Amino acid sequence: MRGPTTAWFGTVSLLADFVYEGARSITGPLLASLGASALVVGVVTGAGEAAALGLRLVSGPLADRTRRFWGLAIAGYALTVVAVPLLGVAGVLWAACVLVVAERVGKAVCSPAKDTLLSHATAATGRGRGFAVHEAMDQIGALLGPLLVAGVLALTGNDYGPALGVLAVPGIAVLLLLFRLRARVPDPEAYEREVQAASTRSEPQAGDERLTSWWGSPTSWGLQAFGDGASATPSVMPSRGRWQSRSISNSAKVARTLKSIVGARVLCPPWQLPASCGGAQ
């Protein structure tokens, strides 16, 4: 479920960028057609971007405090989906300016909650990979949206109503997908718990580990010197965080010779489990 769910989040982002990047591509000409000067266009679009970024300092902590990630994500996307088509029928400048800012406010509301949901969903598939797929699909939507708007404008003789109205279709698809995802996983933190449970089940049991304490002790070095002769020098190298002798065969011979004296479990060679070692002749 996690992999497909990550792809669905990417699809949500693709469709959402389809909507608001398509609208932003003609915001300036639209406001100008309603009588806005270059100064007004700059102020309105600048205010919208400031709202999209600055209000995240409010919506982010709010999402953490309320844990209503789905609700905030859906509310933010809904505001964008409603504001964009209405831009096409706004007959006065002030109304269009309000809708431009409202669309950016919707982005500020949904972004922190959406990113949190995506972070939970990519817990198992890999957050780097998940966010990379999400961002790639996001950019695809940012490319297709303006192209669609440009095509509709060319077909309708620069009529902004149909060009922005057609963006309601991917907008509605965004909301339907979000409701479907929320129905499947109402608690987004369940992704994290599922991964933690799987990790716990895969941990090795204590009885499955090999006996290595003897191998990394000074006793093993002495046994190696005993088996190699007086001139032997213990040569060790790291392996999996432990010190391991190179002269495995000589140490094994010493271990088999002395196990009957000091006990098989103590001198069990590290490449054997204690049970099999105890039964060796």
Side-chain angles (χ1 to χ4, degrees):
M1 179 179 68
R2 292 182 297 271
T5 301
T6 303
W8 283 122
F9 273 111
T11 304
V12 167
S13 186
L14 184 154
L15 294 174
D17 260 43
F18 202 111
V19 175
Y20 49 70
E21 293 296 345
R24 291 178 66 196
S25 66
I26 58 171
T27 296
L30 173 63
L31 294 178
S33 69
L34 296 174
S37 64
L39 175 62
V40 172
V41 172
V43 170
V44 171
T45 54
E49 291 304 312
L53 298 175
L55 290 179
R56 298 185 194 198
L57 297 175
V58 177
S59 61
L62 179 64
D64 283 335
R65 186 168 58 253
T66 63
R67 316 303 291 177
R68 301 186 65 178
F69 302 113
W70 285 116
L72 289 170
I74 292 173
Y77 279 121
L79 182 57
T80 295
V81 169
V82 171
V84 168
L86 289 179
L87 271 173
V89 296
V92 293
L93 179 59
W94 69 267
C97 292
V98 169
L99 290 172
V100 168
V101 176
E103 182 271 318
R104 295 283 83 194
V105 170
K107 178 71 171 177
V109 172
C110 73
S111 289
K114 179 259 297 180
D115 288 343
T116 303
L117 291 170
L118 181 61
S119 177
H120 287 307
T122 57
T125 59
R127 290 187 172 90
R129 178 185 301 176
F131 273 91
V133 171
H134 175 270
E135 187 64 23
M137 298 182 74
D138 184 278
Q139 295 304 313
I140 292 173
L143 172 65
L144 296 179
L147 290 178
L148 175 63
V149 170
V152 175
L153 285 174
L155 292 174
T156 60
N158 292 329
D159 188 347
Y160 293 106
L164 292 172
V166 73
L167 296 177
V169 176
I172 293 173
V174 167
L175 296 179
L176 292 177
L177 277 175
L178 286 172
F179 281 116
R180 180 176 182 270
L181 290 172
R182 186 178 69 169
R184 291 179 63 183
V185 188
D187 179 13
E189 295 180 3
Y191 292 115
E192 301 277 359
R193 291 194 293 270
E194 181 180 350
V195 173
Q196 292 173 358
S199 176
T200 301
R201 289 193 299 268
S202 64
E203 288 180 356
Q205 300 298 319
D208 295 336
E209 296 183 353
R210 298 182 178 182
L211 184 62
T212 58
S213 59
W214 170 83
W215 191 251
S217 68
T219 305
S220 65
W221 303 349
L223 290 174
Q224 178 185 327
F226 176 80
D228 291 344
S231 61
T233 302
S235 176
V236 295
M237 65 181 182
S239 175
R240 297 185 181 179
R242 303 176 179 91
W243 291 102
Q244 191 175 53
S245 171
R246 297 178 190 222
S247 303
I248 295 177
S249 60
N250 290 329
S251 298
K253 293 176 182 178
V254 176
R256 285 195 297 268
T257 302
L258 299 180
K259 71 177 182 177
S260 60
I261 301 175
V262 295
R265 186 172 185 82
V266 176
L267 293 177
C268 179
W271 59 88
Q272 295 183 5
L273 294 175
S276 61
C277 174
Q281 298 298 324

